[in-house]
Amino acid sequence: MIGKVYKITNLDNNKVYIGTTVQPLKNVLSLYQSQYKSYLKNNHKKKVSYYEILKSNNVKIELLKEIVNNYCNFWYDLISLQIQYISEYKSRCVNKRLPPLPRKIST
């Protein structure tokens, strides 16, 4: 399994969302766009921070970092990278909260 830290950018206002996945990036963006369209139609589900990015159709998704799952602290390291990138893009980032870190396993 390959973990990815990605950035979705709204090219109209330069705001970003930082996320993690083990899925192909094109699948992530398609899923988010589908969820956002469903939110607009139903308007009863909880709003999530990446909807701010998807208000425009002028968005792009890009890989920031990739790690291979060949050790026991894979999720800890992946989420740690996400937190690092959220901090790096803080002034432009729509992420409202930092994700919780999984427990690190001692080896």
Side-chain angles (χ1 to χ4, degrees), residues 6-10 15-19 28-37 39 46-56 59 82 93-96:
Y6 62 87
K7 174 178 73 169
I8 301 175
T9 304
N10 178 317
K15 295 286 185 183
V16 301
Y17 174 79
I18 307 296
V28 172
L29 187 56
S30 293
L31 174 65
Y32 284 179
Q33 289 169 326
S34 175
Q35 289 173 343
Y36 179 62
K37 287 176 186 173
Y39 167 78
K46 183 179 176 183
K47 183 177 178 182
V48 291
S49 59
Y50 62 79
Y51 290 171
E52 290 298 314
I53 300 298
L54 299 175
K55 285 182 177 179
S56 165
V59 297
Q82 180 184 14
C93 195
V94 299
N95 296 62
K96 303 284 188 218

Side-chain angles (χ1 to χ4, degrees), residues 76-103:
Y76 178 89
D77 291 345
L78 189 62
I79 300 301
S80 294
L81 281 170
Q82 180 184 14
I83 292 169
Q84 179 183 337
Y85 280 109
I86 289 170
S87 297
E88 182 179 323
Y89 287 95
K90 187 174 185 174
S91 65
R92 298 173 32 212
C93 195
V94 299
N95 296 62
K96 303 284 188 218
R97 295 178 265 155
L98 294 177
L101 271 175
R103 189 169 54 100

Side-chain angles (χ1 to χ4, degrees), residues 40-76:
L40 291 176
K41 285 181 184 176
N42 301 326
N43 205 16
H44 69 280
K45 293 184 180 177
K46 183 179 176 183
K47 183 177 178 182
V48 291
S49 59
Y50 62 79
Y51 290 171
E52 290 298 314
I53 300 298
L54 299 175
K55 285 182 177 179
S56 165
N57 287 328
N58 195 14
V59 297
K60 73 174 179 177
I61 188 167
E62 57 191 304
L63 180 67
L64 296 173
K65 188 80 172 184
E66 198 171 74
I67 64 172
V68 177
N69 181 13
N70 60 1
Y71 52 93
C72 58
N73 287 310
F74 172 75
W75 289 109
Y76 178 89

